[in-house]
Amino acid sequence: EQAERNRIKSIPVLAPRGKILDRDGRIIVDNRASYSLILSREAAKPEHLKPIAAGLNMDPAVLEARVERFKQRPRYEPIVIKEELSPRELAFVEAHRDPDTFPELELIPAQRRLYPQGGFAAHVIGYVGEINEEELNSAEYIEYNPGDIIGKFGIEREYNHTLMGVDGQRQVLVDSRGRERGILGIKEAKPGKNLQLTLDLDLQAVAELAMEGRKGAVVALDPRNGEVLAMVSRPTFDPNLFAGGISAAAWRELVNNPDNPLLNRAIQAQLAPGSTFKPIVAMAGLESGVIDENFSVSCAGGATFYGRYFKCHLRGGHGRVSLHKGLAQSCDVYFYNVGNKTGVDTIAKYAEAMGLGSKTGIDLPNEASGVIPSTKWKMRMFRQKWYAGETISVAIGQGAVAISPLQLAYSVGGLARGGVFYRPHLVKTDKLEPPKIVKFNPENVQKVIAGMYAVVNEGGTGVRARLPGISVCGKTGTAQTASNEKAKTHKFLDNAWFIGFAPCEAPEIVVVALFEEGLHGNLAAPIVRDVIKAYFDKKARITSN
């Protein structure tokens, strides 16, 4: 029986992962032909491990630990010891895998992941890597084996079961010196399925270019169905580093980078939205009946509430301000008063109804929830009561308010569609989930939209987002990251936000830009403008053809 077993060798046939495509069927992630080096444990000798490691530029301890990991597995299962070989390493294997030196070495064809260069869409796509011990012990990966390559981040992880194929096997007859003498049977590998995303490569490219050299995020959604048209997070990383197994030095460089390139800011940044929160506060005031469009205040550059003076961003003040002008000019004093009259719990009620303070449910791992403060929230988190003075900061999107760019796009997109909120998603589907419906008074929605139209088209704070022939609505946001007294260094510059949608009367696209340390919201407006323009330019080309 032992002699019979020694005559048969099982060699894995690796299944290629499915390709990842954009909404038009263009390839984003492909595979390329490569080789993996496997070690046959039936023929392996412990004394060979060190010279093999030296020839492959590996740490001998790493190779020995890898072999040890497979100790409990059946001996006929080979081990992949290197996924990507340099020409010099290939030459070493070819010269030494004969029966007289290292008969345990075997080269097998493999399909290696090929990602776009420059970290393009890296946070959406993600990367693959070898399954680790923690994953092997989890219920999610119960059917996988040591050495398997799985999705670790982004779409690669979220849809791993779809993208990952099933390996095959080739059984060959070998003689006593390990040389192949014939094929006994082949079980073909089943390739993984291709995955079509909602991303539009043209819009993605424009958004990536707009964020070049900046830190922050861009999200573009179709509010009519929740499709994500573009998603960018900067700084980025190169997923190709992971395709053949990332080196320890490269991994340390990524995780120790203070700018955190592995953070998907589009769904994981939890930051104060600044004045982009004002349309939500306006809706809370209007819907609760606390204010109407004629409610007005006088802005002289600031106002005192509960013994503390709160400044407006315009030092000389805005004069007499009602809702329309308050949104257009982003008057802080107006919204201090609206927030004070409305109260933090009513603001929280409407903000949460519009999807803020909780995950949107996008099909990506590790989405952040954000924070919408309320009296209950403060008692639960800090065992302290809420003070009315704290509401003043919340009314202009400061204080404890923290949201992600995706949440803001989802929230304002649903508001702009009259209270119809579709779950954001990245994979194309014919079976759309029913939307969440929030019953707003249509007249109140129109009043807020009119104010957001004025932001861009009537000399408001977002004139840089204006586009000829396209009615763009928007809202700027400048959010403090530290008190102005502390903001003496670049580290504490304000974050710039802008949210825009178009056309105002029936939105087809909503875009959020977060420009960290961008100083003023109007500097984020051109990023949004460029993505919206790209959308309508492409639509016009398709229509004309």
Side-chain angles (χ1 to χ4, degrees), residues 259-491:
D259 287 332
N260 205 347
L262 291 175
L263 180 76
N264 184 353
R265 286 168 161 79
I267 66 168
Q268 293 176 310
Q270 299 181 88
L271 299 168
S275 296
T276 58
F277 191 60
K278 287 174 181 174
I280 283 86
V281 175
M283 279 302 294
L286 290 167
E287 286 290 301
S288 61
V290 171
I291 64 161
D292 60 21
E293 64 181 320
N294 298 316
F295 169 73
S296 67
V297 303
S298 180
C299 172
T304 300
F305 297 89
Y306 307 102
R308 182 183 161 196
Y309 185 73
F310 292 83
K311 293 179 182 177
C312 186
H313 70 86
L314 189 64
R315 188 175 296 177
H318 292 96
R320 180 57 59 177
V321 183
S322 58
L323 177 66
H324 192 78
K325 184 179 177 181
L327 283 167
Q329 300 298 328
S330 199
C331 176
D332 292 331
V333 170
Y334 177 81
F335 280 95
Y336 293 150
N337 280 277
V338 172
N340 191 41
K341 285 173 69 70
T342 305
V344 72
D345 287 336
T346 302
I347 293 171
K349 172 187 169 185
Y350 285 94
E352 288 168 359
M354 288 186 256
L356 300 180
S358 59
K359 297 178 182 182
T360 66
I362 190 171
D363 45 348
L364 280 177
N366 305 317
E367 182 186 8
S369 298
V371 174
I372 294 297
S374 65
T375 53
K376 285 182 181 176
W377 168 83
K378 192 177 180 191
M379 185 57 68
R380 186 176 72 247
M381 295 298 295
F382 302 105
R383 296 289 185 267
Q384 294 175 358
K385 74 170 202 172
W386 183 269
Y387 294 99
E390 296 176 89
T391 308
I392 309 304
S393 295
V394 169
I396 61 163
Q398 294 281 174
V401 183
I403 65 173
S404 71
L406 177 67
Q407 285 175 325
L408 185 59
Y410 170 74
S411 175
V412 174
L415 169 61
R417 295 293 302 182
V420 181
F421 298 81
Y422 282 96
R423 182 178 68 83
H425 58 279
L426 275 155
V427 169
K428 278 289 248 183
T429 177
D430 296 325
K431 298 176 181 177
L432 206 59
E433 285 182 17
K436 174 185 173 182
I437 306 292
V438 180
K439 292 184 178 178
F440 291 134
N441 181 334
E443 291 181 6
N444 290 336
V445 173
Q446 288 309 310
K447 289 167 189 171
V448 172
I449 289 175
M452 295 181 76
Y453 177 85
V455 168
V456 178
N457 302 284
E458 296 174 7
T461 55
V463 292
R464 293 187 182 197
R466 193 171 181 180
L467 282 169
I470 301 168
S471 61
V472 178
C473 288
K475 187 69 197 75
T476 50
T478 305
Q480 283 182 229
T481 54
S483 67
N484 289 328
E485 289 72 29
K486 289 183 181 177
K488 303 296 184 188
T489 67
H490 180 73
K491 185 179 178 183

Side-chain angles (χ1 to χ4, degrees), residues 513-528:
L514 162 64
F515 180 8
E516 289 187 38
E517 301 174 12
L519 207 56
H520 296 296
N522 62 350
L523 300 180
I527 301 170
V528 171

